[in-house]
Amino acid sequence: NYRGEPYPCEGEPDDKAAGLLDDCGKMMPFADTFVSTIIKEKVPRKEMFKQGYLDVPEIERPDWGVQFRADMEDSDDVRRAYEARGFAFPQAVDINNWYLGFNWLDPVVGRGDTPEQQRRNRALRQAISIAIDWEEGYGRIFRAKGGDAAHGPIPPGVFGSREGQPGEFNPVTHRLVDGRVVRRPLEDAQRLMVEAGYPGGRDATTGKPLVLNYDFQRVVTPELKAENDWLVRQFAKLGIQLDVRATDFNQFQEKVLKGKHQIFWWGWFADYPDAENFLFLLYGPNSKSLHEGENTANYANPAFDRLFKQLQSLEDGPEKAAVMARMNEIVREDSPWAWGFWSYSGLAFQRWVHNGKPGVVVRDRARYLRVDVDERARSLAAWNQPVWWPLLALAAGGLAIGVATRRAWRA
């Protein structure tokens, strides 16, 4: 019974060329009925989509298109088959992030109690941030969960973000070589390990190996084990032994609330498209362990906190952009996160489904979708022609068995 809201007439710069504004002003929704089929396993759901029995594999999840694109990159035959059927897999870097965090309350990877300890701990965090090659892991290996390496806490697509812009990068972890932004060499990280007091991954005073705890919030399945093993290898580049302490989510939450975690994997999906929705994840009074906020790293820097309070009262403009840039510089230097990556949002649509666009902020995308039912019927008929020869072969086989049985009986 929902009617009366018009389809938008404005959008992002490329929307008009992509045909996403063709229904400008028409009343939504365009579909009278939505049928949701529960398919528990991923493989049969993908197969039903490829046969045309699903217009979209799922409405809510923003990663199906990323997985289909990974399939296309693995096989030229798959690519040709998908292109022949006209599947659409729109993909974009979305307003969300995944990162590796350091608990600021921890004596080894946290802030530190004395100026000397603060300097050493900061060097250790920076060394780890250089060593973890996010471009390799989630750009080339785990492509179904892929994204672009992050250079700070402010995602692309919001006001003031300079992620991905020419000449903009995190100087702590990257450098400019022949006009290209590349990750700093491992030698830079190893020098920082010496500064931190752990040359070759061993304590310079005691000679004991440095062992860090990785608090993972899920039971490690074979799929997740591959990712965790990759992360262990990143730390091993510096001689650091990473001990994976995997628990279920409830146990992890309890550990975090008590401040007993050390290094952890975390992420954030934007509630609204503004930098504040990500910068507040590093705001001191928002500490998870001390105040039950969303600052899971428990990061606290008075300069950053003052700028955050100033940011909250600013409208989009040059002053706000300058404040954001300064906040970015502070946290890059402190490195409370190994910045991780901005994950892709990618959806999957049949060629007869229109107005599909990926994005985690838009949670009600179903009302925008328009379906060409005639094209769907034609495609379903063409893609799923009945194959009769097995029945003929079965009948011939049955006849042959019958003749052989009759002969045997008569004999």
Side-chain angles (χ1 to χ4, degrees):
N1 297 317
Y2 166 76
R3 288 292 185 278
E5 189 168 354
Y7 189 88
C9 294
E10 298 179 354
E12 292 182 306
D14 297 332
D15 286 349
K16 186 173 181 61
L20 292 174
L21 301 181
D22 291 350
D23 289 321
C24 163
K26 297 179 181 177
M27 292 301 169
M28 300 185 294
F30 299 120
D32 292 321
T33 303
F34 287 86
V35 179
S36 181
T37 304
I38 297 174
I39 307 168
K40 294 184 179 181
E41 297 181 3
K42 182 179 294 185
V43 172
R45 190 188 304 223
K46 290 178 72 173
E47 292 304 315
M48 288 184 68
F49 174 81
K50 289 189 286 186
Q51 290 176 276
Y53 292 112
L54 299 177
D55 296 329
V56 295
E58 193 170 353
I59 289 180
E60 287 83 8
R61 289 190 63 86
D63 57 355
W64 278 98
V66 181
Q67 296 176 33
F68 278 113
R69 281 173 173 261
D71 293 344
M72 294 172 68
E73 292 173 4
D74 288 338
S75 169
D76 290 336
D77 291 338
V78 171
R79 176 181 294 277
R80 284 190 289 268
Y82 286 4
E83 290 175 348
R85 295 201 168 183
F87 299 148
F89 305 126
Q91 176 176 288
V93 176
D94 214 336
I95 307 175
N96 61 72
N97 69 344
W98 295 100
Y99 62 87
L100 196 76
F102 304 101
N103 180 12
W104 212 243
L105 305 178
D106 184 81
V108 179
V109 301
R111 180 177 183 272
D113 295 330
T114 66
E116 174 62 18
Q117 193 63 45
Q118 291 171 15
R119 182 187 63 80
R120 290 183 53 186
N121 289 9
R122 181 171 59 247
L124 176 61
R125 294 192 301 271
Q126 291 179 349
I128 294 171
S129 298
I130 293 171
I132 302 177
D133 192 346
W134 300 107
E135 291 88 349
E136 175 199 64
Y138 291 88
R140 298 189 294 274
I141 298 178
F142 306 110
R143 287 169 298 150
K145 298 181 177 181
D148 292 344
H151 291 260
I154 307 173
V158 302
F159 173 81
S161 173
R162 295 186 56 81
E163 291 279 329
Q165 296 186 21
E168 176 64 21
F169 59 94
N170 181 1
V172 173
T173 57
H174 290 71
R175 62 179 182 173
L176 205 59
V177 179
D178 297 329
R180 292 177 57 248
V181 175
V182 298
R183 185 166 291 277
R184 286 189 172 276
L186 194 60
E187 290 77 12
D188 289 2
Q190 290 168 341
R191 281 194 291 271
L192 285 167
M193 288 292 290
V194 174
E195 183 180 337
Y198 302 103
R202 290 183 174 273
D203 190 300
T205 304
T206 65
K208 293 182 178 180
L210 176 60
V211 180
L212 297 179
N213 296 316
Y214 177 43
D215 295 289
F216 193 65
Q217 77 278 32
R218 291 174 63 183
V219 176
V220 179
T221 62
E223 179 187 16
L224 295 173
K225 185 178 186 303
E227 294 181 61
N228 282 349
D229 288 347
W230 173 83
L231 191 60
V232 169
R233 289 195 298 272
Q234 304 307 299
F235 280 76
K237 294 176 186 176
L238 302 175
I240 301 173
Q241 298 178 26
L242 189 67
D243 181 20
V244 180
R245 301 192 301 189
T247 61
D248 63 35
F249 187 71
N250 288 338
Q251 291 173 310
F252 174 78
Q253 287 281 72
E254 184 178 356
K255 187 185 299 184
V256 166
L257 289 173
K258 292 179 179 178
K260 300 299 184 182
H261 55 308
Q262 188 172 46
I263 298 175
F264 61 96
W265 175 252
W266 209 234
W268 187 258
F269 287 82
D271 298 300
Y272 50 93
D274 190 271
E276 180 192 356
N277 195 229
F278 285 83
L279 294 172
F280 91 122
L281 300 173
L282 293 166
Y283 180 51
N286 203 27
S287 165
K288 174 76 87 172
S289 302
L290 301 178
H291 308 295
E292 298 191 14
E294 293 299 338
N295 178 357
T296 310
N298 298 309
Y299 173 69
N301 183 311
F304 181 91
D305 292 345
R306 283 194 300 269
L307 289 170
F308 182 80
K309 294 296 290 183
Q310 183 181 348
L311 178 81
Q312 290 181 306
S313 62
L314 295 176
E315 299 291 337
D316 290 354
E319 185 180 0
K320 182 177 179 179
V323 170
M324 291 169 57
R326 177 59 187 141
M327 296 172 76
N328 217 12
E329 292 173 0
I330 292 173
V331 293
R332 282 173 172 176
E333 180 67 19
D334 282 344
S335 300
W337 298 350
W339 299 106
F341 63 96
W342 311 113
S343 62
Y344 296 132
S345 280
L347 302 181
F349 300 99
Q350 301 288 358
R351 66 189 184 198
W352 54 81
V353 179
H354 304 278
N355 302 331
K357 183 177 179 178
V360 296
V361 176
V362 178
R363 307 292 170 91
D364 56 350
R365 63 172 60 93
R367 62 175 175 166
Y368 300 99
L369 301 181
R370 175 170 55 83
V371 179
D372 184 339
V373 292
D374 294 331
E375 175 62 25
R376 175 169 61 188
R378 287 191 296 269
S379 297
L380 274 171
W383 296 351
N384 300 285
Q385 292 285 344
V387 180
W388 296 107
W389 67 263
L391 291 179
L392 298 176
L394 185 63
L399 180 62
I401 291 172
V403 171
T405 302
R406 184 173 182 277
R407 287 177 177 174
W409 177 260
R410 293 188 65 182

